[in-house]
Amino acid sequence: MASGVSESGARRRTGAVISYAYSLLQILVNLLYVPVLLSGIGGEEYGLYQLVGSVIAYLSIANSTFSAGATRFYCAYFAAGDEEGMARTLGILRRIYRVAYLAIVAATCVIAVVFSLVYRKAFSAWEVEESCLMLAVLALNLMLTMSNTMSIACITAHEGFVFLKLSQLVVLVAQPLLVVACIRVWPNALTVAAVQLLCNFACRVIQQAFARRRLGMRIDPHATDPALQRKILVFSGSILLGVLADQIFWKTDQLVLGYLFGTASVAVYSVGAQIVNAYTPLGFAVSSVFMPHVSKVWHESGDMAELSRLFVRVSRIALYPLLATLLGFYVFGRDFIRLWAGPGYGEAYLVALMELTPFTIDISQNIGLVILQVIDRYGFRARMYLAAAVTNIVLTVVLAQQMGIVGAALATAIAILVSSGLVLNLYYQRVIGLDMLAWWRSALREAAPMVALAIAAGVLWAPFSGCGWGVLALGIAAWALAFTLVSYFLCANERERELFCGIVRRVIPGAR
């Protein structure tokens, strides 16, 4: 039994390390991919690609909704050792997906017609035709992604994180390389969409083969369980509400700014928003591998004290890379944005910094959302975030008129701090039973030396402000080294030091 537990823990640790590698590589690819794509297909084709992609993004809410339900219920039956329940869950999901596919096809046809009518004067005949073809390709890509959630649920339940993350990592690297090669021959947006579809199809085939042949995934095509189907749909409804709230929350500021001040202010604000988007995956890397373990603890013993200790332990680990990035951005962010986006985007630094600070609390506690999903209490978070989204709209309208884009960022920061930082923490403490006071004490002890280091680094960096990429890279490298030493000797506990040394030994064979 002890051996099984240690193997499970080792799989989670390895999966978390690969998740961080994936997140960092994703950030790097995004930073490099956009300028390469722009030069390869041109600004107009890139704009067309983004426009069509933004339309399909609203349909992709369906995937986010049902993928969470697939993983939650499959992991619950896996933890209970109920193979029939696992097969029944996937069978019911398959039928639900078939209805969703019909809805996606119908919606895509309607969107294509509306698109053609709305943009036929602004676009050339080929651009209208290309956009309709892209809608079809991206809709098919979405349906492939949805169908693959059943394989991912199986792999996640078996804690096959190494295979899952490595397969995703391969696609992350291969896709832009294939795009760059193909747009040399066919330099248009449709080529980019087609390569996406091809890579997604290859990934689906590999992951499905692994789930079926290696893990024994089985789907009951004749499953009938009205109670389970109702539970899946109710749970998915709460996830849908949360996803819609997220969409409203993070898209409101730009819509309001565009209405009040025009596109120039939206462009500056969007640069800061891109920093926030790049930051987000760092908070999910650790928690994403803990769904099976949380399910096992809850369904076997219902031990909230154990989940509370897990919450503190996992959130502490998640906080290290988040603080390294946040505090590093505090020191170097102004120079990074000047070099990356240009001298006219100085306010984007304030936008990003104001939103990242309270958001760090939210995403460092992402293991809490996993717990809410497992114990079927996620609906509260969805309703709370919808209320926060409405609050953000009101605050943005008021503060943006007084302070411009900084006011819009301040509105978002206040909404995050009150909702995720205060209300959700009180819910965790008083309703769920997690020891949030222990987390705050631990997090503040962990963060204090790092904040002091960042203040000192800011003073030391001031004479170098305005430098080029080379000096900035040296400064960031020095920060990473100093942060690692301070974290190890002043912040980490014994368990975290052992974890760090274990990772170093894996990365550098022979290291002690």
Side-chain angles (χ1 to χ4, degrees):
M1 180 68 178
S3 174
V5 173
S6 63
E7 289 178 7
S8 178
R11 287 195 296 268
R12 287 194 296 273
R13 286 193 295 271
T14 304
V17 171
I18 296 175
S19 292
Y20 275 122
Y22 178 84
S23 298
L24 293 173
L25 190 60
Q26 188 178 36
I27 292 170
L28 180 62
V29 167
N30 287 338
L31 291 176
L32 297 175
Y33 187 41
V34 172
V36 170
L37 202 58
L38 277 169
S39 63
I41 64 176
E44 291 185 358
E45 285 288 327
Y46 180 75
L48 185 65
Y49 173 74
Q50 290 293 333
L51 181 62
V52 175
S54 64
V55 173
I56 290 295
Y58 285 97
L59 295 181
S60 68
I61 289 175
N63 179 58
S64 301
T65 298
F66 292 115
S67 63
T71 303
R72 190 265 183 190
F73 285 96
Y74 192 91
C75 285
Y77 283 115
F78 181 83
D82 187 348
E83 294 187 4
E84 291 301 319
M86 291 152 60
R88 194 163 60 247
T89 298
L90 298 185
I92 291 172
L93 281 166
R94 175 184 277 180
R95 286 208 301 275
I96 293 173
Y97 284 163
R98 285 172 180 167
V99 176
Y101 297 155
L102 292 175
I104 290 172
V105 170
T108 303
C109 292
V110 172
I111 291 170
V113 172
V114 173
F115 211 93
S116 300
L117 294 174
V118 171
Y119 290 102
R120 63 183 177 182
K121 292 183 179 180
F123 290 178
S124 67
W126 162 244
E127 286 175 332
V128 172
E129 184 180 349
E130 185 183 15
S131 63
C132 292
L133 290 171
M134 284 176 59
L135 281 168
V137 170
L138 292 176
L140 182 57
N141 189 41
L142 172 59
M143 288 188 282
L144 275 175
T145 302
M146 288 183 64
S147 68
N148 200 38
T149 58
M150 292 183 285
S151 299
I152 291 176
C154 176
I155 296 169
T156 301
H158 285 84
E159 298 186 319
F161 305 118
V162 173
F163 170 81
L164 182 61
K165 294 300 178 182
L166 282 177
S167 61
Q168 292 172 343
L169 195 146
V170 168
V171 172
L172 178 67
V173 175
Q175 181 173 300
L177 293 178
L178 282 173
V179 166
V180 170
C182 291
I183 59 177
R184 290 179 181 272
V185 183
W186 303 287
N188 55 56
L190 182 59
T191 300
V192 180
V195 172
Q196 271 188 326
L197 177 62
L198 177 65
C199 290
N200 193 21
F201 177 76
C203 186
R204 177 186 181 276
V205 169
I206 294 169
Q207 290 177 343
Q208 188 176 80
F210 182 84
R212 286 183 178 276
R213 298 175 185 177
R214 185 72 178 270
L215 304 179
M217 182 182 75
R218 188 166 59 86
I219 301 174
D220 182 357
H222 307 295
T224 55
D225 189 337
L228 176 59
Q229 181 170 309
R230 185 167 56 254
K231 288 179 182 178
I232 292 174
L233 292 174
V234 170
F235 177 81
S236 298
S238 66
I239 298 294
L240 174 62
L241 183 61
V243 173
L244 286 173
D246 283 340
Q247 287 275 357
I248 296 170
F249 191 96
W250 292 108
K251 299 298 182 183
T252 296
D253 292 2
Q254 296 176 50
L255 293 175
V256 173
L257 289 172
Y259 176 78
L260 292 176
F261 306 114
T263 56
S265 64
V266 175
V268 176
Y269 190 90
S270 295
V271 171
Q274 286 182 41
I275 301 295
V276 178
N277 291 338
Y279 184 71
T280 302
L282 293 176
F284 292 85
V286 174
S287 61
S288 63
V289 304
F290 273 90
M291 174 69 84
H293 182 64
V294 173
S295 291
K296 182 179 176 61
V297 172
W298 177 252
H299 292 289
E300 285 187 355
S301 64
D303 188 351
M304 190 55 68
E306 172 61 24
L307 292 180
S308 188
R309 289 189 292 270
L310 178 69
F311 182 98
V312 174
R313 189 164 69 246
V314 173
S315 297
R316 275 185 59 90
I317 294 171
L319 202 53
Y320 284 105
L322 291 170
L323 286 176
T325 306
L326 171 65
L327 297 175
F329 184 78
Y330 159 74
V331 178
F332 306 105
R334 199 181 299 273
D335 288 297
F336 173 79
I337 287 179
R338 175 180 54 81
L339 292 169
W340 179 58
Y345 294 87
E347 281 187 300
Y349 170 74
L350 294 176
V351 169
L353 193 62
M354 292 173 71
E355 293 185 0
L356 288 176
T357 302
F359 193 42
T360 299
I361 300 171
D362 184 9
I363 58 177
S364 70
Q365 297 179 346
N366 197 62
I367 183 66
L369 302 187
V370 175
I371 293 172
L372 290 181
Q373 289 180 19
V374 169
I375 67 176
D376 203 13
R377 294 290 188 92
Y378 191 82
F380 173 83
R381 190 265 182 187
R383 293 189 297 272
M384 178 207 70
Y385 220 61
L386 185 61
V390 174
T391 302
N392 187 32
I393 294 173
V394 176
L395 286 176
T396 297
V397 171
V398 174
L399 295 179
Q401 294 184 76
Q402 304 297 322
M403 304 166 64
I405 66 173
V406 174
L410 179 60
T412 300
I414 292 171
I416 295 172
L417 186 62
V418 172
S419 59
S420 297
L422 178 61
V423 176
L424 190 57
N425 273 248
L426 288 172
Y427 184 77
Y428 284 149
Q429 176 79 34
R430 297 184 178 181
V431 179
I432 303 302
L434 297 175
D435 190 353
M436 298 308 298
L437 295 178
W439 182 86
W440 278 99
R441 287 193 296 268
S442 176
L444 290 174
R445 284 196 300 268
E446 179 181 350
M450 302 176 189
V451 172
L453 174 66
I455 293 172
V459 173
L460 293 173
W461 179 252
F464 300 97
S465 184
C467 64
W469 280 113
V471 177
L472 179 62
L474 290 174
I476 292 174
W479 162 259
L481 177 60
F483 184 91
T484 301
L485 293 174
V486 169
S487 298
Y488 185 85
F489 290 106
L490 299 182
C491 304
N493 56 37
E494 191 62 32
R495 179 195 289 267
E496 290 161 357
R497 291 194 186 100
E498 290 177 3
L499 178 62
F500 176 78
C501 292
I503 293 172
V504 170
R505 284 193 293 269
R506 286 173 178 266
V507 176
I508 308 175
R512 297 193 177 189

